[in-house]
Amino acid sequence: MPRTLVHRGRKIEVLLDTTVLPDGTTVRRDVILHPGAVVILPVVDAGHVCLLKNYRFIVDEALWELPAGTLEPGEPPARAAERELAEETGYTAGRWRKLAGCLSELMHIYAAEDLTPGPARPEIDESLEPHIIAWEQALAWAMDGTIKDVKTIAGLLMWDRLRQPGEW
C-alpha cells in the first residue's frame, strides 16, 4: 500500500502508511524507520562497569546509560560497537561478546571486556560523562529506578545472567 514520507531527519524517517486490513477496513499508521543501533556494556574489571551520565534534553534530565549509538549506512554492528565505545568512553576492548539484538529499532547489545583507557571523542551534540560504577551498585540502580534507560537495564540484567559463575 502507499507509503508517504512525512519527515526525513538526521537519523530517522517518519512515514504515513495506508493499508487495508483483512476485513476491508483502510487504516493509516505512523511508521518510524531507524537504521539500528548498538549498545555496549563496558566491563572495566571484576567488579566495575562504565556507565555514562548523559543529559537528555527531551526529558531535561541526566540519565545513567550504557554507551550506545546509531549505525552508519552499511556499517556492521560489531564495528559500530567498537567505534561508539571509543567515542563515548575512550576505551578500546580486547574481547567482545554479542549479548543480543533487541527492540524495534534493532539494537545490538555487546559486552566489551579487557578494556584499555584512552581519550573519549563524543559528538558535538553529546554531553557524556563516563563513570566507573561498582557492579552491585549498577544492578541496584537498574532495579530501584535510578537507571531509567531501558537498553541499559536490559544490558546490565542480561550480562548478570550470562556471565560465568565466579567471574565476579
Side-chain angles (χ1 to χ4, degrees), residues 5 7-14 32-36 54 56-57 68-73 83-84 87-88 122-127:
L5 179 66
H7 171 76
R8 179 173 282 126
R10 197 169 56 96
K11 294 185 180 184
I12 65 164
E13 289 183 344
V14 180
I32 298 174
L33 299 180
H34 188 282
N54 188 6
R56 294 290 188 171
F57 75 91
T70 303
L71 296 171
E72 298 294 334
R83 176 179 53 77
E84 288 293 339
E87 284 178 8
E88 295 192 353
E123 293 179 24
I124 193 78
D125 62 344
E126 293 178 318
S127 175

Side-chain angles (χ1 to χ4, degrees), residues 101-123:
C102 64
L103 307 177
S104 63
E105 76 179 44
L106 191 56
M107 292 184 129
H108 304 266
I109 303 176
Y110 288 86
E113 301 173 274
D114 301 331
L115 300 178
T116 302
R121 300 177 306 278
E123 293 179 24

Side-chain angles (χ1 to χ4, degrees), residues 42-123:
V43 180
V44 176
D45 60 31
H48 297 87
V49 62
C50 181
L51 296 179
L52 299 175
K53 193 155 196 180
N54 188 6
Y55 176 75
R56 294 290 188 171
F57 75 91
I58 197 72
V59 293
D60 192 27
E61 188 175 345
L63 302 178
W64 287 104
E65 299 180 0
L66 291 174
T70 303
L71 296 171
E72 298 294 334
E75 183 179 34
R79 175 64 194 112
E82 292 173 8
R83 176 179 53 77
E84 288 293 339
L85 177 66
E87 284 178 8
E88 295 192 353
T89 70
Y91 283 109
T92 57
R95 186 166 52 143
W96 290 88
R97 293 191 218 183
K98 185 167 184 180
L99 301 180
C102 64
L103 307 177
S104 63
E105 76 179 44
L106 191 56
M107 292 184 129
H108 304 266
I109 303 176
Y110 288 86
E113 301 173 274
D114 301 331
L115 300 178
T116 302
R121 300 177 306 278
E123 293 179 24

Side-chain angles (χ1 to χ4, degrees), residues 5 12 14 16 24 26-27 36 59 76 100 107 112 114 128 132 146 150 164:
L5 179 66
I12 65 164
V14 180
L16 181 61
T26 299
V27 294
V59 293
M107 292 184 129
D114 301 331
L128 307 172
I132 307 307
T146 301
V150 175
Q164 299 298 314

Side-chain angles (χ1 to χ4, degrees), residues 138-162:
L139 286 178
W141 286 354
M143 299 306 293
D144 73 11
T146 301
I147 295 175
K148 299 173 185 170
D149 178 67
V150 175
K151 71 183 179 306
T152 299
I153 294 168
L156 290 169
L157 296 180
M158 288 177 70
W159 183 250
D160 193 52
R161 288 291 185 154
L162 294 174

